Amino acid sequence: MTSSFTATKNKWSFASLQIQSRQILLESESSLALKDLEPILPGHCVVVPKRQVARLCELNDDEVRDLFEMVSQACQRCNALEAYGEDADLTRGGREGAQYSGPPEAEETGLSFNLSVKDGASAGQCVPHLHVHVVPRRPGDLPSSDRVYALLETWTPDRATVPASPSPLLADLMPPDDWQRHARSKKDMAAEADIYAAAFQQVAGGLGRKATLGLAQGSAALAAATTPVSPPLPVPMRPGPDEEICFSQWLKLNPDQVFYQSPSGLTLAIVNLKPLVPGHVLVIPKRIAGRYADLTAAEREDLWRSVRIVQAVVCAHWCGGGSGVLGVGSKERAGRGEGNAATKIAIEDEEEPAGAHLGLQDGPYSGQSVAHVHVHILPAHTTKPPPPPLLSAAAAAAAAEPNSRL
């Protein structure tokens, strides 16, 4: 995995593709939003870090913050273009010279968004350069909302030079009708949450099979992957048994479904009532927020920081291999101190970190089923896991009790 900068004078590349200035929709200190790269729907853009890394775990915390702030700005830009056309001025909130209070909200334009990351070759990443798909959605743009995942599976930034690399388990991304998905018992979900919580404690205490979790300050090297880094990362807290956990205004979750709460308390990780694959979990803001734009900058930063950590632990449990290094690509990079005070999971070997599909459905036309921001983490199993059992319509109706759906 490379970590070299790809800048030549005022020019950038996306993997091996040279980016033209007309393809840059937005630019920040360390990220680019790119357009006109084989869009699957009108307005489809791709947000990439300027530093060419293959995996999310290789970015440091500042780069992660910048990358997903750029994703938020790209959504705003799409809303502005939808409302005002190509001459939209995001700084003025509309066409130049017009008096507007700010960029239009999604409710004004009718746009929803699918945000998607294929993190790793096993997840179908077609080029070794991390990228976030930002796909605007409109009413009736596809025969079914979930069709977007099939289109993303066969996407490539340049069909002439870069072949598509669909996930080996494409069928897992094509979910069955909701009534066919297996609704698990509270006991089963609590047992799964306990497994992940125990894994976090092992890692935080330096007892993990392949990982030691800690904080690497500045340019300090990780002398040995088997030695706990000081100061140790606090063991993630879990909500108390009487704490109210809301998943939208209408759903209350059992606290036993929660296996991770971020140190800031802004973010939770929960097991899924109806997982598509083993290890399919959700990361959510603790505060009720229906749309991605409703989150504060601090909540967005904490959300994606938590996604990285949860992904590393859950995917290592289900898929094996390296857990991943948060902020660097390998022990060699850790020795060079590229983490920049990022939280790190240092692996004992050079195995490729387990891949995952990351997805966020934002708005009614994206397939969002619960009006609460949630990031799906689906481990990219390299061998076919046992399929979840399907329910009859009658059994599904019996399982769909109030407050029982995720």
Side-chain angles (χ1 to χ4, degrees), residues 279-303:
H280 178 189
V281 299
L282 306 177
V283 179
I284 67 174
K286 192 170 185 179
R287 182 177 67 87
I288 297 174
R291 296 294 302 267
Y292 190 62
D294 297 334
L295 299 178
T296 66
E299 287 173 325
R300 288 193 296 270
E301 178 183 352
D302 198 70
L303 180 76

Side-chain angles (χ1 to χ4, degrees), residues 4-207:
S4 61
F5 282 85
T6 55
T8 58
K9 188 176 181 181
N10 295 323
K11 293 183 180 179
W12 301 98
S13 63
F14 175 37
S16 61
L17 300 176
Q18 194 69 42
I19 298 301
Q20 306 299 317
S21 58
R22 62 175 177 78
Q23 294 176 296
I24 299 177
L25 180 67
L26 296 168
E27 181 176 1
S28 65
E29 181 178 355
S30 59
S31 305
L32 297 167
L34 306 176
K35 62 179 182 176
D36 299 331
L37 292 175
E38 303 286 351
I40 63 170
L41 286 171
H44 173 201
C45 62
V46 179
V47 178
V48 304
K50 290 179 177 177
R51 185 165 69 95
Q52 185 172 322
V53 300
R55 301 297 302 274
L56 183 60
C57 64
E58 294 183 77
L59 296 182
N60 62 44
D61 284 349
D62 288 339
E63 290 171 320
V64 171
R65 180 190 308 112
D66 190 85
L67 183 74
F68 287 101
E69 279 304 300
M70 177 60 75
V71 167
S72 179
Q73 291 176 31
C75 292
Q76 289 184 17
R77 181 65 172 169
C78 289
N79 280 319
L81 289 170
E82 187 79 358
Y84 311 126
E86 288 295 332
D87 55 349
D89 184 342
L90 193 60
T91 63
R92 298 172 185 267
R95 293 186 177 90
E96 186 172 359
Q99 297 299 314
Y100 295 99
S101 59
E105 299 296 333
E107 290 77 6
E108 299 177 52
T109 65
L111 289 183
S112 296
F113 294 92
N114 284 108
L115 309 181
S116 176
V117 180
K118 296 186 179 302
D119 192 27
S122 61
Q125 184 184 39
C126 62
V127 292
H129 191 156
L130 175 68
H131 51 284
V132 183
H133 292 279
V134 177
V135 185
R137 301 298 306 278
R138 301 166 179 84
D141 57 3
L142 292 172
S144 67
S145 179
D146 291 335
R147 174 66 182 165
V148 69
Y149 302 115
L151 295 176
L152 287 173
E153 279 295 305
T154 57
W155 177 86
T156 169
D158 183 359
R159 295 192 179 279
T161 61
V162 181
S165 179
S167 166
L169 301 179
L170 173 60
D172 295 327
L173 299 179
M174 303 297 108
D177 291 338
D178 189 70
W179 65 266
Q180 290 184 298
R181 292 172 60 187
H182 174 52
R184 300 186 297 164
S185 69
K186 293 181 180 180
K187 181 179 179 181
D188 288 342
M189 290 190 289
E192 183 183 3
D194 287 342
I195 291 172
Y196 300 147
F200 271 106
Q201 292 188 32
Q202 280 190 316
V203 172
L207 302 177

Side-chain angles (χ1 to χ4, degrees), residues 210-212 225 321-325 329-331 345-353:
K210 289 180 181 284
T212 299
S323 301
V325 182
S330 67
K331 285 192 298 181
I345 294 181
I347 57 176
E348 294 175 354
D349 49 39
E350 293 295 324
E351 289 187 76
E352 175 74 12

